[in-house]
Amino acid sequence: MLVQAYNLMVHGFLPFLLLSCIISTNIHACKQTERNSLLSFASTLSSPPLNWTSLDCCRWKGITCDQDGWVTSLLLPSKWLKGVDLSSNHFFGAIPSSFFQQASNLTSFNVSNNNFTGGELPLNLGKLSKLKFVTFDFNNLEGALPPSLMNCTNLVELRLENNTLEGDISMLDFSRLSQLIKLDLRVNNFTGTIPVSLYSCRSLKAIRLSKNHLEGQIQAEILSLKSLSFLSLGGNRFTNLTWAVKILMSFKSLHTLMLAGSYEGEGMPSDDDMVDFDGFQNLRRFSLAGSHLNGQIPLWLSKLKNLELLELGFNQITGPIPSWLGTLPRLFYINLSNNRISATIVLSNNNISGDIPTKIGQLQLLQELYLDSNNFSGVIPDQISNLKNLEVLNLSMNLLSGIIPSSLASLNFLREFNTSYNNLEGPIPIGTQLQSFNASAFEGNPKLCGVPLPNKCEPNKCIDADNKNNKDEGQWASSTSMVLYFCCVGVHSRILGSL
Ligand SMILES: *[C@@H]1O[C@H](CO)[C@@H](O)[C@H](O)[C@H]1NC(C)=O
Ligand SMILES: *[C@@H]1O[C@H](CO)[C@@H](O)[C@H](O)[C@H]1NC(C)=O
Ligand SMILES: *[C@@H]1O[C@H](CO)[C@@H](O)[C@H](O)[C@H]1NC(C)=O
Ligand SMILES: *[C@@H]1O[C@H](CO)[C@@H](O)[C@H](O)[C@H]1NC(C)=O
Ligand SMILES: *[C@@H]1O[C@H](CO)[C@@H](O)[C@H](O)[C@H]1NC(C)=O
Ligand SMILES: *[C@@H]1O[C@H](CO)[C@@H](O)[C@H](O)[C@H]1NC(C)=O
Ligand SMILES: *[C@@H]1O[C@H](CO)[C@@H](O)[C@H](O)[C@H]1NC(C)=O
Ligand SMILES: *[C@@H]1O[C@H](CO)[C@@H](O)[C@H](O)[C@H]1NC(C)=O
Ligand SMILES: *[C@@H]1O[C@H](CO)[C@@H](O)[C@H](O)[C@H]1NC(C)=O
Ligand SMILES: *[C@@H]1O[C@H](CO)[C@@H](O)[C@H](O)[C@H]1NC(C)=O
Ligand SMILES: *[C@@H]1O[C@H](CO)[C@@H](O)[C@H](O)[C@H]1NC(C)=O
Ligand SMILES: *[C@@H]1O[C@H](CO)[C@@H](O)[C@H](O)[C@H]1NC(C)=O
């Protein structure tokens, strides 16, 4: 292509405004930082190499410097450029339309992570019919999406994440973008519904519309996007979650569905017929977090044998954690924090409602388990220690009682651990990784004792009686004394059975 010669400065650009302490004694000689920037820029151009080799970048073709050696303009006429990557600089001002005037051969344009402001996307972008990859994300662009953009019929990726673009997108004609594979409009101020025309972009694999002001329902037409594997709609004002999930269930290809923070205040999608759907066959990541949803964890989730990540935190879910959760073999992340789940956690061989722990012990890949801020009662189950890959265990703010099982010490990978604000009691298992956690991981359990908590463990009477010679007051270093302790606290006799 031919980028028309123009002076970036004239258009309000300030290229390569980089910090530099180099004091140039040689007027006009280029700053080393400027040279480096230009070279890294040149390396991103998918075009015949520029002859930028000599030391003084101010003498390079196309470069103009000021008296201090700062580059003030960049002129790249007739360079047959095919791709432009100006990402991660400090450009500001509006993107000049003239930039695109003779750029008809441009196939990729990336100004990600700058500070481009002002008006809309350059209106004549639509003339660049060969454009495939367009990335404007992380700038301050304002205004609406120009309809002419839809003339870029070869677009494969359009990324506009995190600008302040706005306007009703319901009626835009995306239908001509038949090559489009990735569309990313997240974190803008778009309004309206999901444009129906989008449903005819048959190549689409990933749609990200989260954090806008979109509303309405998902249309059953969306099912024509046979290749769709990633859909992120969270942080909008969509309605009718049950309907949406029923439709989306049919997608064979969908592996990520992020709906957090939309569908505010609705019920968990749990119609009876959904269990028979056999849907979401490939779903791996699913989020319905942060929406004040009520109801129980629905049974149809038990069919999602490929599920790896489940986020249901910050809702108003009640009832038990269903035991089938333990039968989803790929789960590595479960976040149920901040709900009203009230399952009683019990030991194995009991059939009391919600006997998750036994089953949860089967989740060999589980890495993160957040059950904090619920209404769990009962004891911490031994079976959690079967989760050999567990990195995070948060049981904070429940009604758990009993001791901390010493078997938890075998969880070598644990990096976050929190049992604060329960009714736990007894000594924190000694000589284990558990003691390396901050005291805050145990606080709010008045009857817990031992390092790292400040209160020492008082030897209990029973042990005193059996162990009169033990002068090592307040210590529970030997496993014998631990067993004795359990033995004496009758409540925990069940645990003894499982040791
Ligand atoms: C576009 O590329 C073609 C060759 O593929 C060339 O003939 C033409 O001059 C180029 N146009 C511009 C504006 O660079
Ligand atoms: C590259 O630039 C140098 C001067 O910096 C010049 O001597 C050389 O001829 C140029 N090479 C080409 C291929 O233009
Ligand atoms: C655009 O640039 C950003 C930052 O350098 C980079 O992360 C991203 O992958 C680029 N996008 C494309 C489509 O090349
Ligand atoms: C981005 O541009 C705005 C307005 O043009 C300016 O106020 C702000 O300081 C700039 N930020 C950076 C990081 O350059
Ligand atoms: C987009 O294409 C239509 C016809 O397909 C044309 O009328 C219109 O001028 C084009 N817009 C731009 C900005 O190129
Ligand atoms: C948007 O980008 C700005 C910096 O450009 C960042 O501070 C902010 O956190 C981003 N917002 C989101 C929601 O990603
Ligand atoms: C646009 O979004 C920003 C950040 O999300 C928000 O502060 C602003 O109020 C929004 N403007 C409109 C008109 O919605
Ligand atoms: C959800 O959408 C379907 C189909 O449009 C409709 O039949 C149903 O009544 C809607 N439900 C709610 C709660 O709006
Ligand atoms: C758990 O999910 C809630 C709701 O999305 C979120 O706010 C919280 O940060 C998550 N916890 C972790 C540790 O990711
Ligand atoms: C927690 O359970 C207790 C009874 O066990 C009940 O009184 C309380 O309302 C529950 N809290 C929530 C938030 O559901
Ligand atoms: C627990 O209940 C299941 C059926 O729900 C039954 O098959 C099993 O025998 C019961 N186990 C015990 C220990 O009662
Ligand atoms: C654990 O849960 C508590 C209570 O909800 C929360 O304050 C804390 O940030 C959580 N810690 C981690 C690591 O998720």
Side-chain angles (χ1 to χ4, degrees), residues 108-314:
S108 75
F109 186 71
N110 189 349
V111 291
S112 170
N113 197 17
N114 279 284
N115 198 2
F116 285 115
T117 49
E120 313 178 339
L121 294 176
L123 286 171
N124 56 355
L125 205 59
K127 294 217 174 91
L128 310 182
S129 59
K130 294 186 180 169
L131 266 183
K132 288 185 177 167
F133 303 94
V134 174
T135 307
F136 284 97
D137 49 14
F138 294 93
N139 282 284
N140 296 320
L141 298 175
E142 296 161 356
L145 277 188
S148 65
L149 191 65
M150 306 311 162
N151 281 8
C152 303
T153 50
N154 285 304
L155 269 185
V156 172
E157 277 187 38
L158 178 60
R159 297 174 184 252
L160 301 172
E161 176 186 357
N162 199 333
N163 282 280
T164 37
L165 295 163
E166 61 191 17
D168 188 335
I169 58 170
S170 319
M171 301 311 281
L172 284 179
D173 69 334
F174 281 91
S175 52
R176 297 176 59 204
L177 307 186
S178 59
Q179 312 294 313
L180 196 64
I181 291 179
K182 289 186 185 172
L183 176 67
D184 188 349
L185 304 183
R186 80 188 118 150
V187 196
N188 278 289
N189 286 356
F190 291 118
T191 53
T193 57
I194 300 178
V196 171
S197 64
L198 200 60
Y199 300 148
S200 51
C201 302
R202 299 294 162 86
S203 308
L204 270 172
K205 287 187 176 162
I207 302 178
R208 289 180 162 95
L209 301 176
S210 52
K211 299 198 176 166
N212 279 286
H213 307 294
L214 301 173
E215 58 193 15
Q217 292 190 193
I218 288 179
Q219 307 285 310
E221 292 154 43
I222 196 170
L223 291 175
S224 52
L225 306 179
K226 299 276 184 240
S227 307
L228 195 67
S229 61
F230 190 111
L231 182 62
S232 154
L233 303 177
N236 283 290
R237 299 168 186 161
F238 294 114
T239 50
N240 208 340
L241 177 61
T242 300
W243 174 251
V245 168
K246 279 186 176 177
I247 291 172
L248 297 171
M249 270 186 154
S250 316
F251 271 118
K252 297 271 187 295
S253 49
L254 202 64
H255 69 68
T256 301
L257 180 58
M258 299 309 212
L259 302 177
S262 277
Y263 303 100
E264 181 68 27
E266 297 194 15
M268 289 294 286
S270 59
D271 281 8
D272 291 344
D273 58 347
M274 292 169 81
V275 184
D276 306 324
F277 253 55
D278 212 19
F280 285 141
Q281 284 171 14
N282 286 300
L283 199 64
R284 298 191 179 166
R285 293 165 173 256
F286 184 44
S287 176
L288 277 180
S291 310
H292 299 100
L293 303 177
N294 53 59
Q296 302 205 353
I297 300 177
L299 182 59
W300 57 264
L301 280 176
S302 67
K303 298 272 188 93
L304 313 190
K305 299 298 182 201
N306 287 309
L307 204 61
E308 296 172 0
L309 175 144
L310 179 60
E311 289 184 346
L312 299 176
F314 280 88

Side-chain angles (χ1 to χ4, degrees), residues 399-415:
L399 305 168
L400 296 167
S401 55
I403 58 139
I404 298 177
S406 55
S407 60
L408 288 194
S410 65
L411 296 174
N412 298 325
F413 293 107
L414 219 50
R415 59 180 162 78

